[in-house]
Amino acid sequence: MKKAIIAQSGGPTSVINSSLAGAISSFIENDFDNIFLSINGIEGIINRNIKEVDKKRFVSNNIDKKLMARPSSILGSCRFKLPESFNDEIYEKIFDNLKKLDISSLIYIGGNDSMDTVMKLNSYMKNKSIKNINIIGCPKTIDNDLCEMDHSPGFGSAAKYINTTIQSLRADVDIYNLKSVTFVEIMGRNAGWLAASSLVSNYKKDKKFVNLLYLPEEKKSLDEIIYEIKKELESENNLIVAVAEGFMDTEDKLNKDMFSNTDDGFNHKIVAGVASRLADIVRNKLNIKSRAVELNIVQRSNILISKTDSKEAYELGSLAAKLSIESTNLIPILNRQKGEDYDISYQAVNPEKIANKEKKIPQAWIKDEKKLEKEIIAYTLPLINGEVKQEYENGLPVFVNLKDFIMEKDL
């Protein structure tokens, strides 16, 4: 008998359920007897918080399409770091619970930290000579910082939301004939891909929609920032400044406790508030109207889903399931093909190449402002193409629920 279990981990995206849909559909197509779902990532396996997919309802009610329109992690998530020592009892508990369900395939959907989990589980299996289960990762993250692949599932939809929001912000800030600066804080702790994607808003416009950009990959002094803002205000009354949440000035003056909260399970600082701090500084130094717009978590869980992003996430989930039939310790990836037309191919790599690593914007792009804008626009535009249709009821979107496609029985 073939039995699978799927889990989602780390921060959500608007297309993480597309990968889930792809994995479930592929397991059904390959005649898996049972498809289980772990609630809250690896913690669901540890605590036996597990549901089973009702395969007939999943197919007859077109749940795959509904999942592709449903943002955020429908299975819940966790930020649970597995111990370094394989002697820790948590590993034995995980594999005992998998054995009780007679699992042959495990798909773990997540980012670079989640691939650490995939890597450790496979290393444990090798250490203990466990060969009756295959564990495969499936990539996602809005941060676009996963190595080995052209772009990360979730990035395209987040970029689509960010640029749509900036279009609206530009329509708002331009209504007054006075000097103003609006800082837009965009997610990105160490990698500035999302903040840089805001430059797509300048594409084919008669003026800059995003006037200035500040990224984690390049520090600037507050004096430099004030100078650049003053320079831009000479030709434009109302500025929009995109800033990554992880941006810091050279003197580290922006690094205030007011926006550094607690650590998550992988010891990543939760940062926010840099835009507010910059807005205060500009308001006080230049005596002009200045405000901050913090896009925050809505960037990663919104209904403005890129059709391209959703389709690619689905294909990666499907490939992860197919890989798990014969292989273990792999992660499906996608890469862009050379040529004028946008085209991608799918491969697979070991999790060691992705786990705990970060891909940042190339320094060659950052050193030249015009080159950065040109490269980012060419890179991002294909990824935000198309929209996933949403269902509405009483004027509001309606999302599929877990209860719509799981068995009622407890496991």
Side-chain angles (χ1 to χ4, degrees):
M1 296 183 74
K2 295 185 292 185
K3 299 183 179 183
I5 189 166
I6 310 168
Q8 297 171 327
S9 182
T13 77
S14 288
V15 299
I16 191 170
N17 295 320
S18 295
S19 293
L20 175 63
I24 294 174
S25 297
S26 186
F27 281 133
I28 291 174
E29 289 168 6
N30 284 279
D31 299 319
F32 270 64
D33 300 280
N34 304 89
I35 304 166
F36 300 106
L37 306 172
S38 175
I39 307 303
N40 299 116
I42 195 69
E43 291 180 351
I45 296 174
I46 295 168
N47 301 320
R48 285 189 62 84
N49 188 2
I50 295 166
K51 309 297 181 184
E52 183 176 356
V53 174
D54 186 326
K55 293 186 290 183
K56 289 184 179 179
R57 288 170 65 204
F58 186 89
V59 173
S60 62
N61 294 329
N62 296 314
I63 299 298
D64 56 343
K65 300 293 188 295
K66 294 176 181 179
L67 281 172
M68 293 175 79
R70 204 272 197 193
S72 192
S73 309
I74 196 169
L75 303 183
S77 187
C78 72
R79 293 192 184 276
F80 186 93
K81 188 175 179 67
L82 287 175
E84 298 299 324
S85 172
F86 292 151
N87 293 322
D88 194 289
E89 63 181 8
I90 204 74
Y91 286 101
E92 187 174 349
K93 190 170 187 180
I94 289 169
F95 282 92
D96 279 348
N97 287 338
L98 292 173
K99 187 176 181 179
K100 287 174 184 176
L101 290 171
D102 197 22
I103 297 297
S104 57
S105 294
L106 189 163
I107 306 299
Y108 207 60
I109 308 171
N112 41 24
D113 289 334
S114 299
M115 297 310 106
D116 176 79
T117 299
V118 174
M119 180 176 66
K120 286 177 177 173
L121 291 175
N122 274 284
S123 295
Y124 179 84
M125 289 196 300
K126 185 177 181 180
N127 183 270
K128 302 295 181 181
S129 299
I130 298 172
K131 296 181 180 179
N132 58 347
I133 180 172
N134 292 328
I135 299 178
I136 301 290
C138 184
K140 67 86 211 168
T141 179
I142 67 167
D143 294 326
N144 200 43
D145 61 353
L146 299 184
C147 297
E148 298 295 317
M149 62 189 75
D150 179 78
H151 56 278
S152 307
F155 169 73
S157 294
K160 189 178 186 76
Y161 172 82
I162 288 164
N163 282 280
T164 301
T165 302
I166 286 174
Q167 307 290 304
S168 299
L169 286 173
R170 176 51 72 184
D172 182 283
V173 302
D174 282 347
I175 65 174
Y176 295 114
N177 187 27
L178 51 82
K179 301 289 186 183
S180 73
V181 182
T182 300
F183 290 93
V184 182
E185 184 172 320
I186 298 169
M187 279 186 166
R189 186 190 305 112
N190 299 318
W193 291 101
L194 271 181
S197 79
S198 67
L199 295 175
V200 170
S201 290
N202 292 341
Y203 183 60
K204 290 188 175 180
K205 300 294 193 305
D206 56 3
K207 72 170 187 176
K208 286 184 178 181
F209 273 39
V210 173
N211 301 93
L212 294 167
L213 171 68
Y214 296 110
L215 304 171
E217 288 92 341
E218 184 182 37
K219 289 188 175 184
K220 290 189 176 183
S221 69
L222 290 179
D223 287 341
E224 285 180 284
I225 294 170
I226 294 298
Y227 172 79
E228 290 176 349
I229 288 172
K230 288 170 70 175
K231 190 73 175 174
E232 285 291 315
L233 285 169
E234 292 175 4
S235 57
E236 171 66 54
N237 272 348
N238 308 110
L239 307 185
I240 290 180
V241 179
V243 56
E245 64 182 358
F247 171 76
M248 284 295 136
D249 61 294
T250 52
E251 298 93 351
D252 216 28
K253 292 180 180 178
L254 292 171
N255 193 8
K256 301 291 182 182
D257 288 341
M258 64 178 283
F259 64 90
S260 181
N261 302 318
T262 57
D263 290 342
D264 62 19
F266 284 82
N267 296 317
H268 298 314
K269 286 286 187 181
I270 299 173
V271 295
V274 64
S276 293
R277 181 64 178 151
L278 281 168
D280 288 343
I281 291 169
V282 167
R283 189 182 306 112
N284 293 333
K285 284 188 174 291
L286 301 183
N287 194 29
I288 62 172
K289 183 178 180 180
S290 182
R291 74 182 81 191
V293 177
E294 186 181 324
L295 300 187
N296 212 300
I297 59 173
V298 72
Q299 296 162 86
R300 66 189 191 186
S301 296
N302 69 86
I303 63 170
L304 195 58
I305 302 173
S306 158
K307 192 172 183 178
T308 299
D309 194 19
S310 180
K311 179 179 179 294
E312 292 176 350
Y314 181 96
E315 292 298 331
L316 285 166
S318 177
L319 180 54
K322 292 171 185 174
L323 286 169
S324 75
I325 297 173
E326 300 289 344
S327 305
T328 192
N329 201 35
L330 291 173
I331 299 170
I333 60 169
L334 52 82
N335 277 302
R336 196 175 313 212
Q337 300 302 291
K338 293 181 179 179
E340 292 184 6
D341 296 330
Y342 177 73
D343 188 27
I344 59 168
S345 63
Y346 295 90
Q347 297 91 31
V349 298
N350 295 122
E352 289 83 357
K353 294 187 175 182
I354 296 177
N356 308 310
K357 294 178 172 63
E358 289 179 317
K359 178 184 73 176
K360 298 184 180 182
I361 300 175
Q363 282 296 316
W365 293 11
I366 295 173
K367 290 178 180 178
D368 186 323
E369 182 181 321
K370 289 184 179 179
K371 179 178 175 62
L372 175 61
E373 183 163 321
K374 180 182 177 181
E375 295 285 358
I376 283 292
I377 289 173
Y379 176 83
T380 308
L381 269 179
L383 312 183
I384 67 175
N385 190 38
E387 294 78 41
V388 173
K389 185 179 179 182
Q390 295 289 337
E391 290 186 17
Y392 285 82
E393 187 176 297
N394 300 318
L396 296 172
V398 179
F399 298 144
V400 64
N401 291 309
L402 198 57
K403 61 181 176 59
D404 295 330
F405 62 98
I406 60 170
M407 302 282 199
E408 293 183 4
K409 64 181 180 181
D410 293 327
L411 297 173

